[in-house]
Amino acid sequence: MASYPKDRFDELPSDLQRVGAHRGPRPRGRGWIIVAWSALATGLLVFGGLFGISKFLNIDLEIGLFPVAETPTPTPTPTPTADPIEPGALDPARNITITVLNGTPIVGLQNTVGQQLAALGWPVLTTANASASDIEKTYVYYSDPANEDVARGLVVSMGKGDIRLVSAETFPGAPITIVLGADEETPADGETPAP
């Protein structure tokens, strides 16, 4: 190792007790300033992310900073309902035909109900078993809103059931379809429960 001649910087005064780099003292609280700025930046990023997601998903965030305007709850308008029609008042030009499907395990129930309705004057065309035999409630399905009066009249004639408007593809070829359910509690004369 090379040796260099001594100069005035090699001799330190004895009253100087510092060795190494000469830095000033650290200011107090500098670490808390960094923590505070980090917390503020994190809060702004989280709030901005939530706000962006809520706008993307179309959700109203109610945070006290931006109060959400109250939207009035719309008052439902009553749906007009047709009065039930009597079987004798049914215009033959409407070409209404009725299909009766048995959704219960009672064998022949569709035939009995179909015959009872035909005896009252309803144009029952077809009776058959439904695709399921565990249907709980009787429903009268109609595919044209103009036939609601007929569906209501059938419910009145049977003394049970509810009506449902369905698309024409649900029961093709049948303007009115009755699906008998378990609310037909006991088999009528000539009917036997399925084994």
Side-chain angles (χ1 to χ4, degrees), residues 5 12 20-21 24 29 35 38 44 57 81-82 93 98 128 130 138 153 156 161 188 194:
L12 297 174
V35 170
S38 299
L44 287 174
L57 297 177
T81 57
I98 299 168
T138 299
V156 170

Side-chain angles (χ1 to χ4, degrees), residues 82 94-96 141-151 163-169 171 174-177:
R94 290 176 69 178
N95 293 326
I96 299 288
Y141 297 97
Y142 62 103
S143 57
D144 183 356
N147 294 335
E148 180 182 356
D149 58 344
V150 177
I163 65 169
R164 295 280 187 265
L165 177 64
V166 295
S167 69
E169 292 81 30
F171 297 104
I176 305 282
T177 301

Side-chain angles (χ1 to χ4, degrees), residues 20 33 57-58 78 86 92 97 109-110 119 130 136 140 146 165 168 173 191:
I33 292 173
L57 297 177
N58 202 14
E86 296 284 327
T97 57
L109 180 64
Q110 73 277 9
E136 295 184 14
V140 178
L165 177 64
E191 297 168 353

Side-chain angles (χ1 to χ4, degrees), residues 2 17 32 61 74 99 105 149 158 167:
Q17 297 184 358
W32 289 108
L61 287 180
T99 299
D149 58 344
M158 291 188 302
S167 69

Side-chain angles (χ1 to χ4, degrees), residues 105-173:
I106 299 171
V107 176
L109 180 64
Q110 73 277 9
N111 296 328
T112 303
V113 173
Q115 290 168 1
Q116 291 170 349
L117 292 173
L120 293 173
W122 292 107
V124 176
L125 181 67
T126 308
T127 59
N129 287 322
S131 60
S133 63
D134 58 350
I135 298 183
E136 295 184 14
K137 190 169 184 180
T138 299
Y139 286 101
V140 178
Y141 297 97
Y142 62 103
S143 57
D144 183 356
N147 294 335
E148 180 182 356
D149 58 344
V150 177
R152 289 190 181 281
L154 285 165
V155 168
V156 170
S157 292
M158 291 188 302
K160 63 182 59 111
D162 283 334
I163 65 169
R164 295 280 187 265
L165 177 64
V166 295
S167 69
E169 292 81 30
T170 306
F171 297 104

Side-chain angles (χ1 to χ4, degrees), residues 77-104:
T77 56
T79 306
T81 57
D83 291 330
I85 192 171
E86 296 284 327
L90 184 61
D91 184 8
R94 290 176 69 178
N95 293 326
I96 299 288
T97 57
I98 299 168
T99 299
V100 181
L101 301 177
N102 185 4
T104 71

